[in-house]
Amino acid sequence: MDIDERIKVIMKKMEELAVSKNPEYPCGEFPPKWDKPFKEERVAKFEEKNGIKLPPDYRRFITTVASAGTQPFYGLYSLLDNRRGKENPAFDKPFIATVRKPLLYEEIEQLDDEECDKIYENLHCGFVPLCTEGCGMDSILIVNSEDEETYGTVWYFDFANDAGTLPLINPKNGKTMDFLDWLEYYVDKTLELEDDDFFGYAEIAGILKDE
């Protein structure tokens, strides 16, 4: 299934979710609302400016479907508009971790001051923030990595609660998630929920294991 076909499948599920469910989410707006997609030229300028190439599935989604939205959780962030109230990451610098060597808060805190400071100085590099669940629990998309396996994967990012940052692992196949995997997991999981239940991506954050 190519990217466009997969997007259609996911958004069809999203439509089903919007009409068949009314989860009492404590965050965001439901049913989801979507902002119009970016023009191709605008995204190309962003890539050129930052010396990166966005992962194909994410790039296709934001240029053909929606640039932002009110879900998952508190909403899909816009790539080009700073709605987070935070400084944007350094997109042009590589992400500091890899799917086989994530950053666990408890391990970082055991390092000496110099090593610890180096990690925190380079922590906000190489990724696009996707959304927040609130209380510092975020999803991020790796757009710049020196590791081929890590590029294009979605991670759980939570230093506010002393977790660290780890890749999201699909419980069905034990593999990392790309942007469309991440979005489809949200809609599939939400379709399964009772109206007053919700889930968090922390449930599937882990370390990629050797096959």
Side-chain angles (χ1 to χ4, degrees):
M1 187 182 303
D2 66 21
I3 291 176
D4 289 327
E5 290 175 340
R6 182 138 186 246
I7 289 175
K8 288 180 180 178
V9 169
I10 294 171
M11 296 312 290
K12 186 175 181 179
K13 291 181 183 181
M14 195 73 74
E15 292 174 4
E16 178 185 347
L17 177 63
V19 300
S20 66
K21 302 282 285 184
N22 186 28
E24 297 176 1
Y25 277 6
C27 54
E29 184 178 347
F30 200 92
K33 294 181 180 178
W34 304 98
D35 294 351
K36 65 180 181 180
F38 290 126
K39 292 184 177 180
E40 171 68 29
E41 295 79 6
R42 195 176 182 196
V43 174
K45 287 181 180 179
F46 173 88
E47 292 177 316
E48 182 179 3
K49 176 183 177 182
N50 292 285
I52 63 170
K53 286 291 184 182
L54 296 174
D57 60 337
Y58 173 71
R59 193 183 198 283
R60 189 66 177 169
F61 185 88
I62 63 173
T63 56
T64 63
V65 179
S67 58
T70 64
Q71 287 293 326
F73 296 98
Y74 281 101
L76 179 67
Y77 290 133
S78 167
L79 172 69
L80 303 179
D81 297 325
N82 186 4
R83 301 179 183 181
R84 297 176 295 280
K86 304 176 184 178
E87 292 185 6
N88 283 320
F91 303 112
D92 60 337
K93 296 180 180 179
F95 187 56
I96 194 170
T98 70
V99 293
R100 298 184 187 276
K101 292 184 179 181
L103 292 175
L104 301 177
Y105 179 84
E106 59 184 18
E107 294 180 358
I108 296 173
E109 292 302 298
Q110 294 174 8
L111 301 174
D112 62 43
D113 290 345
E114 184 176 349
E115 292 177 306
C116 190
D117 289 345
K118 184 177 181 181
I119 287 175
Y120 284 118
E121 287 171 4
N122 294 281
L123 189 60
H124 292 84
C125 296
F127 66 81
V128 169
L130 291 178
C131 83
T132 185
E133 299 172 36
C135 300
M137 300 178 289
D138 301 342
S139 291
I140 62 174
L141 174 66
I142 311 307
V143 299
N144 188 344
S145 176
E146 297 174 348
D147 180 64
E148 185 176 344
E149 282 186 301
T150 302
Y151 172 79
T153 57
V154 179
W155 287 51
Y156 179 71
F157 189 97
D158 179 10
F159 284 84
N161 301 289
D162 300 343
T165 185
L166 302 94
L168 298 185
I169 306 299
N170 191 326
K172 293 182 178 180
N173 57 24
K175 297 181 179 179
T176 54
M177 288 187 167
D178 60 19
F179 172 77
L180 291 182
D181 292 330
W182 172 81
L183 189 61
E184 189 167 27
Y185 185 84
Y186 152 77
V187 70
D188 285 346
K189 190 72 174 179
T190 307
L191 280 168
E192 297 173 358
L193 298 177
E194 298 297 330
D195 286 352
D196 57 352
D197 291 336
F198 69 100
F199 72 96
Y201 282 111
E203 299 171 10
I204 56 172
I207 300 172
L208 183 64
K209 298 180 180 179
D210 293 325
E211 296 181 357

